[in-house]
Amino acid sequence: MATTAATSTPSSPLPLPSTASTLWARVIEPRGSSTGNAITAQLSSHAQFTPQDKTGTSTRMLLHDTHARLEFFSERANLVFSEIEASKREIVRVREDVESARERELDTIAQLSMFLLFFRAYMLVIVCQAN
């Protein structure tokens, strides 16, 4: 990565700062200054305050950003997993309700079949007595 400033041409009296120097000047810029001219005017004074280990600093910034995104992802994943667990519990509850309703219906059918059996036997007794 080249960090040298571009050479000045006759049409531009001030040399243009490199992209890396501008980035680091923006990172360590005081919060009060917001104009572009202040950055270019203070670029030479910021040069002595830029970190010597820019790669290490960039790596730490990326690690911090990655950690923050991982925390956000973990919260979302935990939310999804808790909703999955709630859905599983609901499915089990519905299955139990369906099974109990099925057993009640089978009991009702069994009672009706017993009633029908007794009714037929009663009718058979009445028919036999009538003959």
Side-chain angles (χ1 to χ4, degrees), residues 39-95:
I39 292 174
T40 57
Q42 296 176 358
L43 184 59
S44 61
S45 66
H46 284 310
Q48 61 188 353
F49 295 117
T50 58
Q52 296 300 316
D53 184 19
K54 292 179 182 179
T55 305
T57 304
S58 296
T59 303
R60 284 190 295 279
M61 290 170 62
L62 286 172
L63 284 174
H64 177 71
D65 184 51
T66 303
H67 179 71
R69 290 180 185 269
L70 184 61
E71 286 290 324
F72 179 73
F73 174 77
S74 295
E75 290 172 4
R76 297 281 306 256
N78 286 337
L79 179 66
V80 168
F81 291 141
S82 66
E83 291 295 323
I84 289 172
E85 289 298 321
S87 297
K88 284 181 180 179
R89 286 190 300 273
E90 185 70 17
I91 288 171
V92 168
R93 188 190 62 78
V94 168
R95 182 180 296 149

